[in-house]
Amino acid sequence: MIKSVIKRDGRVVLFDEGKIAAAVLKALEAAGEGDAREAARVANKVTRHLEVDCGEESPQIEQIQDAVETGLMECGHDEAAKKYILYRANRTRIREANTSLMKTIDEITNVDARISDMKRDNANIDGNTAMGSMLQIGTAGAKAYN
């Protein structure tokens, strides 16, 4: 029986099959392929699959999401699986963009302009001043957004 899950940041939280059912339901609704009862059935199948694969070990979020994809396909919900896969890919892209942006902001905020090429992008801005840093952060945010 699965008791806990390892989150992406390493935290360990209690396992909740209801969260799997909720994610499956969203995918089923997006594809127009099922209801809450079907979502619960798929979630139960996913949980059983994880128990076999992980044994006494706590699964990681990625393992659970992979099992959800497989469970959806095994239950004949190919369109819902496709929607779920696309949603996962989009969330991964957003997470990576946020991480990159945060690293950029950290460099702009904490590194001297004589060391950071990023802070010397525009010769008209003194990267060591508060206004220079704010302009650089705005530029970095706009690049990440666009």
Side-chain angles (χ1 to χ4, degrees):
M1 180 175 191
I2 299 172
K3 295 179 183 173
S4 59
V5 174
I6 302 170
K7 303 283 271 185
R8 283 185 181 85
D9 63 5
R11 288 180 297 133
V12 178
V13 298
L14 292 176
F15 177 74
D16 181 2
E17 187 176 303
K19 289 184 178 183
I20 295 172
V24 169
L25 180 59
K26 287 179 183 178
L28 291 173
E29 287 175 343
E33 291 187 351
D35 57 10
R37 186 185 334 210
E38 181 62 13
R41 187 177 79 81
V42 174
N44 191 270
K45 183 177 186 111
V46 168
T47 300
R48 287 194 314 267
H49 192 333
L50 289 168
E51 288 171 347
V52 170
D53 286 354
C54 299
E56 293 297 315
E57 298 292 317
S58 296
Q60 296 189 4
I61 292 296
E62 291 293 326
Q63 287 176 287
I64 294 170
Q65 290 179 331
D66 291 344
V68 169
E69 288 177 16
T70 302
L72 283 166
M73 287 185 273
E74 286 177 356
C75 291
H77 299 294
D78 295 333
E79 188 62 28
K82 181 180 176 182
K83 299 276 186 190
Y84 186 78
I85 290 166
L86 292 173
Y87 173 79
R88 271 183 81 185
N90 188 43
R91 293 296 303 158
T92 299
R93 187 180 56 76
I94 290 168
R95 260 192 314 280
E96 289 170 355
N98 284 339
T99 300
S100 174
L101 179 59
M102 292 311 294
K103 286 179 183 175
T104 301
I105 290 172
D106 183 56
E107 181 175 340
I108 291 168
T109 305
N110 298 316
V111 178
D112 189 282
R114 291 171 291 193
I115 299 169
S116 173
D117 288 336
M118 187 179 308
K119 288 179 94 169
R120 291 182 280 145
D121 276 349
N122 187 336
N124 297 321
I125 299 172
D126 181 356
N128 283 332
T129 65
M131 181 52 82
S133 292
M134 290 305 297
L135 288 170
Q136 292 294 333
I137 289 170
T139 300
K143 285 179 186 175
Y145 181 76
N146 289 327

